[in-house]
Each structure stands twice: as C-alpha cells, then as structure tokens.
Amino acid sequence: MRVELHSVARRNLIAMSLDAHNSYFTLFQLPQHLNLDVAALEKQFYALSRRLHPDRFAAKPASEQEAALTASSHLNDAYRTLKDPILRTQYLLKLEGVELEEQSKTATEAARASGTEKKQVVPRELLEEVFELNMQLQEMRAANQMGEDEPELRRDLMTAKDAFDVKMVETQAELEGLWSAWDAGVDSADEAAKARDKEAMVELLNKRSYLRNLVRDVNEALGL
C-alpha cells in the first residue's frame, strides 16, 4: 500500500509538472510572491527531484520514463527561475502578461532579420548621460583602433562607469522595495496596488538591463 501511494504521488507530480496551466509557483505550492525563502525552495526542489529520479522509473513503460524525464526538466527550469530574484520577477511579470523589451520575441526576430542589434528604449532620466557616453565611447574606440592612448578620456569613462555602478545598486534597492510591496498587494488582493507595482517593476528592470549594457560597453572600450 505504501509503495502504491508513493507511485500515485509520483504520477501526480508528473501530471502537475506537465500541465501547461500550472505555473512554477504552483509546482512548488507557493504564492506568487517575489520574496521567497530560497533555502526552503531548495529543500522542496530536492525532495521533488528524488520522486522523479530515473531509478524510480526503470521498470516502468518507456512512455512513463519519458514523461518523468520531461517533468524533471520542467522542475529544474522552475527551480532555476524561482531561486534567482531577477528571473523570478521577469517570470512573474510574464505570468501577468508583461513581456519586457529585452525579452520581446518580436524585437529579437526583427533584429535578427535585419542583422542589427536589438535596441532598448533609453530610460528618460539617462538620456543626457547616455548621449555623452556614446560620444566618449566612439572616441575611445577610434583611439584604440589608431593605437593611441587617451588618459583623460579613459578617466572620464571610468568615472561614468562608477556612476552607472552606483545607479545599478540604487535600482536594485528600489526593486527590492517593490518586491515587498507586490507581496503585500497579493496578500491583500489589492489589484490597484499590484498594477502600480507591476508598472514600476517593468520600468526598473528595463533600466537595470540598460545600465548593465552601458557598463559592459565601457568595459569593452577600456579593455577591462
């Protein structure tokens, strides 16, 4: 009887994992919160993984073995997504019907078709700094090609990089505040608050992505 109950539990887990209507949060029986107990998540992940271990399905039909492997892969994807706070946020927003600019399939395909890089919208508060930075990057790239040293320009770019690093830290802090606000909205079923928080998170995630790209461009120009 005990073996049979375990077998039923494994089949239920496979069915739940393969059900396209179930979110990653549902798979781990979690509320759609952005602040999660990662240690508890990890513990639950390993417990579920043991149920889907190939050895438990060695004597089962090939179709059931394949289903278990697919369910295990889905479980791994769910765990990797939920344990990372940024991926978790992006995933939750996708569940809410929001596709970030950097993840847009349409934008990706358009860029691939034209042979150009996918462009992001410049955050309004960074417009002036980005314009100046792009001019400096062009000068540095030209100097690099000519084999010339531009110490003053290098110092300016390092200063800009430091400023963007600070903005990254500030953006992360703002995001963390919104995670708590979102969770409170979920618990109180405050749809208006959730809508505000969702809009703010989209803006901050796009800003974070843009800042990361700026830092990357500066590092490349400086050979860091």
Side-chain angles (χ1 to χ4, degrees):
M1 174 66 86
R2 192 172 187 181
V3 172
E4 184 178 343
L5 287 174
H6 285 177
S7 181
V8 170
R10 287 195 292 272
R11 287 198 296 271
N12 288 342
L13 175 57
I14 291 174
M16 182 183 294
S17 299
L18 299 179
D19 188 341
H21 296 291
N22 285 331
S23 73
Y24 291 165
F25 293 94
T26 302
L27 184 57
F28 286 99
Q29 298 181 324
L30 294 170
Q32 288 191 1
H33 281 180
L34 289 172
N35 286 306
L36 296 181
D37 184 338
V38 177
L41 174 69
E42 182 178 29
K43 183 178 180 180
Q44 190 175 10
F45 167 68
Y46 286 120
L48 294 175
S49 294
R50 283 193 292 273
R51 291 192 200 173
L52 296 174
H53 194 279
D55 289 349
R56 297 182 182 273
F57 296 87
K60 300 295 182 181
S63 60
E64 194 168 338
Q65 292 180 26
E66 185 177 350
L69 285 173
T70 301
S72 180
S73 176
H74 184 70
L75 181 67
N76 289 333
D77 290 341
Y79 174 63
R80 280 193 295 267
T81 298
L82 293 185
K83 76 173 182 178
D84 182 291
I86 298 300
L87 293 180
R88 186 191 312 147
T89 306
Q90 293 171 338
Y91 176 71
L92 185 141
L93 288 172
K94 190 173 182 179
L95 291 179
E96 292 289 319
V98 177
E99 190 169 31
L100 299 177
E101 177 66 23
E102 64 175 289
Q103 298 174 305
S104 168
K105 183 178 179 182
T106 302
T108 300
E109 290 176 348
R112 186 180 295 123
S114 63
T116 59
E117 291 187 9
K118 184 165 61 176
K119 296 181 179 179
Q120 290 180 275
V121 177
V122 182
R124 285 170 296 178
E125 67 271 27
L126 297 177
L127 279 171
E128 187 175 337
E129 292 171 272
V130 169
F131 178 78
E132 183 176 354
L133 178 69
N134 283 334
M135 296 292 290
Q136 293 171 331
L137 287 172
Q138 289 178 12
E139 290 180 36
M140 180 56 74
R141 288 167 184 149
N144 289 339
Q145 288 179 348
M146 299 292 293
E148 298 175 353
D149 186 26
E150 293 285 352
E152 185 175 350
L153 182 56
R154 181 174 291 273
R155 283 194 299 271
D156 289 343
L157 284 172
M158 283 300 300
T159 299
K161 177 183 177 300
D162 291 343
F164 291 135
D165 284 337
V166 170
K167 290 182 186 296
M168 281 283 291
V169 172
E170 293 172 347
T171 300
Q172 180 67 25
E174 289 182 67
L175 267 175
E176 290 175 6
L178 284 172
W179 294 339
S180 297
W182 169 270
D183 293 352
V186 169
D187 293 340
S188 62
D190 188 337
E191 295 302 321
K194 286 169 59 181
R196 289 193 302 271
D197 296 334
K198 181 167 61 177
E199 184 177 345
M201 283 190 288
V202 169
E203 186 174 335
L204 283 174
L205 284 172
N206 282 327
K207 179 180 177 180
R208 178 183 181 277
S209 176
Y210 200 88
L211 286 167
R212 288 183 64 194
N213 289 339
L214 290 177
V215 172
R216 178 204 62 200
D217 290 345
V218 172
N219 285 339
E220 289 176 356
L222 295 176
L224 300 177

